[in-house]
Amino acid sequence: MIDKITRELLNIDVLLSDLRIRTVQGRFFFDKFSCFTSSDNKKLQKEYDLLFSLNDFFRENNELYIKVIDYLEHIEDISFLENKGDAHKLIIEDFFLIKKFLYFFLKINDILEKFTIKKISFDRNELHKVWKILSPDGKDEYYFHFYSEYNEKLRELREEKRQILIEGEKSKKKFLEKLNEKYNIKLSTDKISLSNYFEKDKIEKLLSSGDFIVLDKNFANTMLGVCYDESILNIEKDIHLIDEKIEKIEDEIAIELTKKILEYKSQLIQANNYIGEIDFIFCRIDYLRRYNCCKPEIISDGIFIEEGRFIFFEKFLLKKGLSYQPLTVDIENNVNIIIGMNMGGKTIFLKTLGFLAAHLNYGLPVPAVSIKMPIFDNIFFSTEDYHVDKTDLSSFGYELYRLNEAMNLKGRNLFILDEPAKGTNPYEAVALNKSFIKYFLENDIYALISSHFNLYMKSEFISYFNMSYLKDDFFEHIKNLDELEFSQKLQILQNSIVYKPIEIGEIEVVPDQAINIANFLGINPKIIDNARKFLNEVKDGNI
Amino acid sequence: METIAIVGAQKDSGKTTFLNYFIEKNADKKIGISTLGFNRSVSLDNELVKKPEINVKPGMYVTSIPGFLNRGFVVIDKTDIKTVNGNIFIYKALDNHKVKIFGPPKSPDLVKIYNFFYNLDLDLFVIDGALNRKGNLNFDFVDKAFFSIGGSFDNSIDNLLKIADIFVKLFSIPQLHPMGIELKNSSIFNSDGSLMKEIDLPFLGNEDYYFELISEYNPEYLFIKTSLNDISFDKIIRKLKNKNLTLVLKNIFRINLSYENIKKLFYSQIKLNVLKKIDLAGLILNPFAPNGRHIDSFKLYSEFKNRFGDIPVFDIYRQEIL
């Protein structure tokens, strides 16, 4: 489980919304998706194997990959069938949707046939039978209508109607031409509107002939309609009768087709759900390709990351024209303390690790060169900064509350704490932090804790990392740069930091680069001098 | 594919009757028909049923919703355009039918229908659409328009002539070919092709920012990407009337103003240009009106013919046009 605040802080929601799910079925599948847990090692490894073997295949056959994506973009959702029973009659649009679904399903199936993606409890050839029912003309297209092939009588009636219409059009045209000639008018349809005031004589003449009747009349105009002769009127009657017969037959066809289609209801619904799974697989392949991901190796102990990327932070920096340094780290112990100067990337290290770990819960390939790690049942990220101005409780109080709740979660857990208790007095903060560490050690919990405090505890199960360091020549390089603006100095400083966690020994646990940096940034020299004196006293144990 | 819009200033101005005539005259062409202007809350039982039917011929394409065109149609595709009565589908007529068609409730979605028809390689796309001043009319793909007017708008021929005058003027707004500038966003620029500033913010709600930029840069042209509408109209008149500035819009359908404000716009001496000119293919007259405001058809037709000699004038029941 990854709680809402952790998801937000680690950009997991952004990650999930970045997945290109293309179908309604895929969205449904994803909404119901249960995250992988520590008991799913084999299942997840198998899933990754499938994903990467599919990717290998499609790397060699990119045109097929493009086709599958295109088919997924166009396939219809036929989940409406779930609510259809014997009492229902499907309508023409329903048949169309089923046919269009099958059109793309069968094409996707042809491409993926050699991969066993999911066990389906029916023979896929059954769906070819449904296709044949809906495509009696044998054409490879997904349009649908009530084909004449369904009923010979329907074919005859349509042909009869076509002939009558052609004859009727001719007769009507002839009739109107005759009237135009006879009365010197310009009729092209069977209505004409004339002015009561200016065309009174014409109206009377046309009406007295018996060739016209009044359709509408008001104080200004009279609308006359043509009185066709009996043969033309009979054509209209004939067409009406044929239409009624056609409608009846089409109705019968709809009932018959509904019966036939619903015989395959369960197979169709299974196939529809299957598309959801396929879609989710392809959105992960798409993710893999977009972010150059690797296949994680799921191990029981340790976290080994080579050039793991927090892709959204990477994008953010690139947008600002800044370079991004991927994370490479080997973590062998359960409990890990991260120290380092301000702006040194401790928080990003922690977030990157949490972000990458969450990929396994969703079965996602990981944006890294390589990664080995366990699946965690729960990932918990904590920082006091999140709660500032967000809750009535103090940020310290709320974080303690969250932490306490998380500690009750069963399973294999990963706790990532960014400077816990930093807002409280240093003595108590150190005491609390050490107490957390002890708890994590005793309960076999994976934990990464960043802090500016000296949290050294003698234990072979704790590792210490110094996150980031200034390049060796930094202080030499800045000697003659006193005249620079503050923002320029800051830029130089950022460019001189190597953001890399280095595992360190117990002696080095408090880095003292902060005073040198403050000096470089132009802080009052008197303050710097005094700070150095105080630091020496601290180191000598005089304070 | 040529796109023709049949637009009217009012309901019942005879658009559909004319559409039927137009279809009849172009029966040899591959035609796709859609419509715009349905109230989204319309129910199948009331207003829609009153809409006049369209006489489609075999091979013609129309848009509608499920359960509405029962027989004699091939279902060609389903669009992602949603209405309260279901998604819009595309159908092809197998034989002659009288049908009521459904189109997208919003004009931007008509572009999707346009693309469907374009891919079907049709000759003509005809839109039966009302001028709806409640929203933007994204008719950027329209080539020609028929404008309908009649008794439902006003029962005085003099007034109808005045109204038609204004709309004819709208269709006569000159086209601008900005030298070398690709106008994607709202912009200010000069006739020598120098783009002074692109403006990301929409005009509506940011009018003051636009006017500040105009004062600062003193451009010859202001291109507004979206529409002119009644909300910001008074401000535009006040701020731009004494500037030697030409207001440029995508096309005349982007003038989303009431009749009164269109009049004011022309009298204001603000110069107007459009990026795409839409041809006025004809004026459609309907002397009948459901509210009883009938007009003498002979007189109406004669006076329109006299006033707009060069423009085809069509009385929907007199059979004289084109």
Side-chain angles (χ1 to χ4, degrees):
Chain A
M1 194 197 86
I2 306 173
D3 74 312
K4 192 173 165 285
I5 294 173
T6 301
R7 281 210 315 272
E8 193 180 322
L9 289 166
L10 298 182
N11 282 39
I12 304 300
D13 288 336
V14 181
L15 162 73
L16 298 180
S17 63
D18 188 47
L19 297 176
R20 292 174 182 165
I21 297 174
R22 292 175 168 82
T23 65
V24 176
Q25 298 92 315
R27 179 58 53 199
F28 185 76
F29 178 85
F30 182 66
D31 288 346
K32 300 258 168 195
F33 179 78
S34 320
C35 281
F36 289 99
T37 62
S38 59
S39 58
D40 294 327
N41 281 10
K42 280 187 184 165
K43 193 175 151 195
L44 179 58
Q45 199 66 66
K46 224 171 134 187
E47 184 94 2
Y48 279 129
D49 290 344
L50 170 70
L51 213 61
F52 279 79
S53 64
L54 275 167
N55 186 48
D56 289 344
F57 171 75
F58 285 116
R59 215 171 26 210
E60 299 292 316
N61 302 280
N62 197 45
E63 73 292 348
L64 291 180
Y65 176 78
I66 293 167
K67 274 186 182 173
V68 175
I69 296 296
D70 187 47
Y71 297 155
L72 287 170
E73 297 271 8
H74 290 93
I75 201 164
E76 295 294 342
D77 168 39
I78 53 165
S79 55
F80 66 88
L81 276 176
E82 286 177 28
N83 303 320
K84 302 285 179 188
D86 293 341
H88 292 98
K89 187 181 92 178
L90 299 175
I91 59 173
I92 189 169
E93 288 84 0
D94 296 334
F95 295 121
F96 164 81
L97 292 173
I98 297 166
K99 189 175 176 186
K100 192 175 172 190
F101 168 80
L102 283 172
Y103 179 84
F104 290 112
F105 175 86
L106 294 172
K107 285 184 189 302
I108 292 170
N109 192 50
D110 283 348
I111 295 172
L112 298 179
E113 215 165 18
K114 64 185 225 174
F115 297 95
T116 316
I117 291 174
K118 183 189 176 188
K119 278 188 183 161
I120 284 185
S121 65
F122 64 91
D123 178 359
R124 287 177 203 195
N125 285 328
E126 297 280 281
L127 295 179
H128 283 284
K129 290 181 191 166
V130 186
W131 169 260
K132 277 184 185 160
I133 293 170
L134 293 172
S135 191
D137 60 351
K139 286 187 183 166
D140 185 31
E141 62 184 25
Y142 57 72
Y143 305 158
F144 180 81
H145 68 281
F146 292 117
Y147 296 86
S148 298
E149 283 85 346
Y150 287 132
N151 187 306
E152 198 46 42
K153 186 74 189 154
L154 180 64
R155 186 195 303 278
E156 286 167 15
L157 285 168
R158 280 179 176 161
E159 183 52 31
E160 195 183 337
K161 182 181 171 184
R162 204 176 65 84
Q163 290 300 337
I164 293 174
L165 276 170
I166 293 169
E167 288 308 312
E169 288 293 315
K170 275 188 202 162
S171 310
K172 272 188 183 177
K173 207 173 164 193
K174 240 187 221 171
F175 193 86
L176 294 180
E177 277 169 6
K178 225 164 74 184
L179 292 180
N180 283 342
E181 206 176 302
K182 190 172 168 186
Y183 302 109
N184 193 24
I185 50 177
K186 286 181 185 173
L187 285 172
S188 61
T189 65
D190 46 18
K191 284 180 199 166
I192 185 166
S193 161
L194 295 167
S195 157
N196 292 345
Y197 183 72
F198 292 98
E199 295 165 307
K200 198 177 168 192
D201 295 347
K202 210 178 214 173
I203 294 170
E204 278 173 10
K205 188 180 163 191
L206 294 179
L207 279 175
S208 63
S209 68
D211 288 329
F212 293 88
I213 53 160
V214 176
L215 292 179
D216 193 6
K217 192 174 179 178
N218 56 58
F219 72 92
N221 307 299
T222 301
M223 194 188 292
L224 301 179
V226 171
C227 294
Y228 288 118
D229 65 21
E230 201 147 328
S231 65
I232 294 174
L233 292 176
N234 283 341
I235 287 173
E236 294 204 342
K237 270 187 208 160
D238 290 347
I239 288 173
H240 183 69
L241 283 174
I242 291 174
D243 274 345
E244 275 183 353
K245 284 180 191 168
I246 289 176
E247 194 170 351
K248 199 172 163 232
I249 293 175
E250 287 187 347
D251 221 36
E252 285 164 9
I253 292 171
I255 293 168
E256 189 61 27
L257 278 181
T258 303
K259 229 164 93 184
K260 283 186 183 171
I261 297 296
L262 289 184
E263 280 174 23
Y264 296 93
K265 178 177 160 178
S266 114
Q267 290 93 323
L268 285 165
I269 289 168
Q270 273 195 62
N272 197 49
N273 295 337
Y274 176 78
I275 283 299
E277 197 161 338
I278 296 290
D279 189 11
F280 190 50
I281 287 174
F282 275 84
C283 91
R284 285 181 287 170
I285 295 177
D286 170 75
Y287 183 79
L288 184 169
R289 289 177 161 209
R290 273 192 290 146
Y291 296 114
N292 205 11
C293 296
C294 69
K295 176 161 80 171
E297 189 182 326
I298 300 156
I299 54 174
S300 51
D301 286 304
I303 298 172
F304 304 95
I305 301 169
E306 186 186 352
E307 296 197 13
R309 286 170 293 123
F310 190 12
I311 49 175
F312 302 111
F313 186 59
E314 183 181 21
K315 276 185 188 175
F316 170 78
L317 288 184
L318 290 178
K319 214 173 167 182
K320 289 196 150 200
L322 300 168
S323 64
Y324 173 76
Q325 297 178 26
L327 173 70
T328 297
V329 68
D330 288 349
I331 296 172
E332 289 174 33
N333 266 326
N334 275 16
V335 177
N336 302 277
I337 315 294
I338 325 297
I339 57 167
M341 59 189 181
N342 287 324
M343 302 185 301
K346 293 189 295 297
T347 303
I348 290 300
F349 167 35
L350 297 181
K351 283 190 172 182
T352 307
L353 200 132
F355 175 75
L356 299 177
H359 279 65
L360 276 68
N361 296 91
Y362 291 94
L364 287 168
V366 180
V369 170
S370 73
I371 191 161
K372 291 183 209 172
M373 72 188 310
I375 315 173
F376 293 102
D377 294 304
N378 302 292
I379 298 174
F380 176 81
F381 186 93
S382 160
T383 174
E384 284 183 26
D385 295 343
Y386 177 81
H387 302 282
V388 174
D389 300 331
K390 287 197 176 181
T391 113
D392 292 337
L393 276 172
S394 72
S395 50
F396 171 67
Y398 197 84
E399 267 320 282
L400 281 183
Y401 168 75
R402 273 189 74 218
L403 198 52
N404 194 46
E405 292 285 300
M407 280 173 176
N408 292 326
L409 294 169
K410 298 269 182 292
R412 182 148 217 207
N413 300 336
L414 173 63
F415 276 74
I416 306 172
L417 313 181
D418 189 17
E419 298 188 41
K422 72 170 178 185
T424 192
N425 77 66
Y427 301 106
E428 285 185 292
V430 169
L432 264 172
N433 271 298
K434 288 192 171 182
S435 180
F436 290 145
I437 293 168
K438 195 163 184 290
Y439 178 85
F440 294 143
L441 283 171
E442 285 169 1
N443 290 281
D444 199 22
I445 290 171
Y446 264 85
L448 284 104
I449 303 157
S450 74
S451 181
H452 283 290
F453 302 127
N454 185 345
L455 301 181
Y456 175 67
M457 288 170 78
K458 196 167 179 60
S459 165
E460 59 181 307
F461 300 109
I462 304 176
S463 292
Y464 296 90
F465 290 88
N466 186 6
M467 183 60 208
S468 72
Y469 56 90
L470 286 166
K471 287 178 184 167
D472 292 342
D473 60 348
F474 173 71
F475 289 104
E476 193 58 37
H477 179 66
I478 60 167
K479 267 182 183 168
N480 302 317
L481 299 178
D482 281 353
E483 300 306 313
L484 289 179
E485 295 277 321
F486 180 77
S487 60
Q488 290 172 309
K489 285 182 176 178
L490 210 57
Q491 186 72 47
I492 288 171
L493 180 64
Q494 276 171 349
N495 290 338
S496 303
I497 297 174
V498 178
Y499 297 93
K500 188 173 167 43
I502 305 284
E503 191 161 359
I504 51 172
E506 59 193 71
I507 310 155
E508 301 163 82
V509 290
V510 180
D512 56 0
Q513 283 173 331
I515 297 174
N516 289 336
I517 288 168
N519 185 32
F520 165 62
L521 291 175
I523 305 302
N524 187 330
K526 274 187 185 171
I527 292 176
I528 298 293
D529 284 346
N530 285 331
R532 283 195 173 124
K533 278 179 203 159
F534 283 124
L535 180 67
N536 287 333
E537 287 177 27
V538 171
K539 281 184 176 172
D540 295 342
N542 296 336
I543 292 184
Chain B
M1 184 174 78
E2 190 172 43
T3 305
I4 291 172
I6 301 171
V7 293
Q10 196 80 4
K11 272 204 300 186
D12 305 311
S13 55
K15 294 186 300 294
T16 310
T17 310
F18 175 75
L19 175 62
N20 281 332
Y21 177 82
F22 187 82
I23 290 170
E24 190 71 42
K25 286 278 170 188
N26 290 280
D28 56 329
K29 292 186 177 144
K30 283 165 79 181
I31 304 182
I33 307 161
S34 192
T35 180
L36 179 74
F38 277 116
N39 183 322
R40 265 180 284 175
S41 62
V42 81
S43 103
L44 292 179
D45 304 326
N46 49 57
E47 270 195 60
L48 177 69
V49 188
K50 288 184 212 153
K51 262 194 80 74
E53 291 179 319
I54 294 169
N55 303 326
V56 295
K57 309 273 177 198
M60 281 185 186
Y61 292 82
V62 295
T63 57
S64 193
I65 49 163
F68 216 65
L69 303 180
N70 302 319
R71 98 195 115 77
F73 281 94
V74 183
V75 186
I76 298 294
D77 222 330
K78 179 188 160 195
T79 72
D80 61 358
I81 304 164
K82 290 184 169 60
T83 75
V84 284
N85 298 307
N87 281 52
I88 300 280
F89 279 69
I90 311 272
Y91 303 81
K92 184 182 177 183
L94 281 170
D95 49 34
N96 291 45
H97 291 287
K98 286 187 174 181
V99 293
K100 296 180 181 87
I101 61 172
F102 258 105
K106 289 180 284 182
S107 66
D109 282 336
L110 267 176
V111 181
K112 293 177 183 170
I113 304 291
Y114 172 88
N115 289 333
F116 263 101
F117 287 157
Y118 184 83
N119 290 330
L120 289 167
D121 202 22
L122 303 191
D123 302 321
L124 266 179
F125 173 26
V126 186
I127 304 161
D128 177 14
L131 281 179
N132 170 14
R133 281 185 289 102
K134 284 174 194 159
N136 277 343
L137 213 49
N138 295 7
F139 274 8
D140 301 341
F141 51 90
V142 169
D143 301 304
K144 285 182 182 171
F146 286 94
F147 184 74
S148 71
I149 191 165
S152 62
F153 201 83
D154 199 303
N155 62 348
S156 143
I157 293 180
D158 275 352
N159 286 346
L160 288 179
L161 283 167
K162 280 179 194 163
I163 293 162
D165 251 340
I166 291 289
F167 282 99
V168 169
K169 258 190 192 173
L170 269 183
F171 281 95
S172 315
I173 293 172
Q175 185 169 2
L176 177 78
H177 301 279
M179 291 287 291
I181 310 178
E182 200 185 344
L183 294 171
K184 280 185 180 168
N185 287 320
S186 297
S187 313
I188 45 177
F189 58 99
N190 278 342
S191 54
D192 61 1
S194 54
L195 181 65
M196 299 165 113
K197 190 158 180 67
E198 266 193 73
I199 311 163
D200 281 340
L201 300 168
F203 182 70
L204 186 63
N206 298 290
E207 298 88 347
D208 290 338
Y209 175 64
Y210 275 65
F211 298 138
E212 275 168 29
L213 288 176
I214 289 164
S215 299
E216 188 186 335
Y217 288 89
N218 205 20
E220 289 176 56
Y221 293 94
L222 164 66
F223 168 59
I224 297 177
K225 186 185 165 186
T226 50
S227 297
L228 272 193
N229 57 48
D230 291 327
I231 302 168
S232 50
F233 181 73
D234 287 342
K235 252 187 189 174
I236 292 173
I237 297 291
R238 236 181 16 253
K239 296 276 185 178
L240 300 185
K241 66 179 175 188
N242 294 323
K243 304 261 179 199
N244 189 20
L245 179 111
T246 303
L247 192 56
V248 185
L249 297 162
K250 279 190 173 171
N251 57 59
I252 64 118
F253 289 118
R254 296 295 185 149
I255 298 177
N256 200 14
L257 299 172
S258 66
Y259 168 66
E260 287 306 319
N261 278 341
I262 295 175
K263 260 197 320 192
K264 276 189 208 164
L265 183 66
F266 282 123
Y267 296 139
S268 72
Q269 294 180 336
I270 292 175
K271 282 177 281 179
L272 285 166
N273 277 182
V274 286
L275 290 182
K276 183 182 174 185
K277 200 159 163 58
I278 293 167
D279 290 336
L280 179 60
L283 290 168
I284 305 162
L285 305 177
N286 180 10
F288 288 84
N291 54 14
R293 292 194 294 200
H294 307 295
I295 305 164
D296 185 297
S297 60
F298 184 84
K299 211 173 160 195
L300 180 72
Y301 180 75
S302 313
E303 299 218 7
F304 265 74
K305 273 304 261 186
N306 286 340
R307 175 69 65 92
F308 306 103
D310 298 338
I311 303 166
V313 177
F314 175 58
D315 178 329
I316 57 168
Y317 295 118
R318 288 185 74 88
Q319 326 285 338
E320 294 166 57
I321 195 198
L322 303 178

